[in-house]
Amino acid sequence: MIAPVLAAALLLAPPAATIDVLWTTIAAKGAAVDVAFGVACPEGFTGTATVSVAQARPSDGLPARGTAVTALTCSGTGLLYTQRVTADVTGAPFERGRATLAMQVVACDERGCFSTPLNQTIRVTKTP
């Protein structure tokens, strides 16, 4: 009795995305951070990837933050993206060092939608 219920639950499980952050680098003299990432999600889904970076600057503790949105079309395999996250005009520029990255992938098809979050600490580097 438990096996059929478990099998039915697995068949009805909503799809999800897999998100891998590849690298993050300072861009435009700290006015932005480039975030390279990969997203794998089920073919036929379209949606967005929202990328937010927040940092208490290592040199002075001032807050730097920004958010950007990328449109995505799922192909059933991994796709690579680079998103430039511009620092908010009311905040400080980004610096090399630790920061917090928050991502949210939301996509839909004709049957439904899914949402996959990712939150992690990253190291913002300078391009060699």
Side-chain angles (χ1 to χ4, degrees), residues 97-118:
R98 286 178 18 141
T100 301
L101 174 76
M103 291 184 67
Q104 186 81 28
V105 171
V106 177
C108 299
D109 72 357
E110 64 281 349
R111 295 177 308 252
C113 300
F114 69 84
S115 176
T116 303
L118 172 78

Side-chain angles (χ1 to χ4, degrees), residues 38-117:
V39 175
C41 50
E43 185 174 5
F45 283 77
T46 58
T48 59
T50 303
V51 182
S52 297
V53 177
Q55 180 184 52
R57 293 176 6 146
S59 66
D60 55 18
L62 291 174
R65 68 179 60 82
T67 299
V69 178
T70 298
L72 60 92
T73 300
C74 300
S75 66
T77 62
L79 298 173
L80 300 177
Y81 297 89
T82 300
Q83 178 63 57
R84 180 157 286 183
V85 178
T86 304
D88 290 345
V89 96
T90 57
F94 293 105
E95 292 182 342
R96 289 184 303 170
R98 286 178 18 141
T100 301
L101 174 76
M103 291 184 67
Q104 186 81 28
V105 171
V106 177
C108 299
D109 72 357
E110 64 281 349
R111 295 177 308 252
C113 300
F114 69 84
S115 176
T116 303

Side-chain angles (χ1 to χ4, degrees), residues 23-34:
W23 48 262
T24 55
T25 59
I26 289 287
K29 299 182 181 179
V33 172
D34 286 340

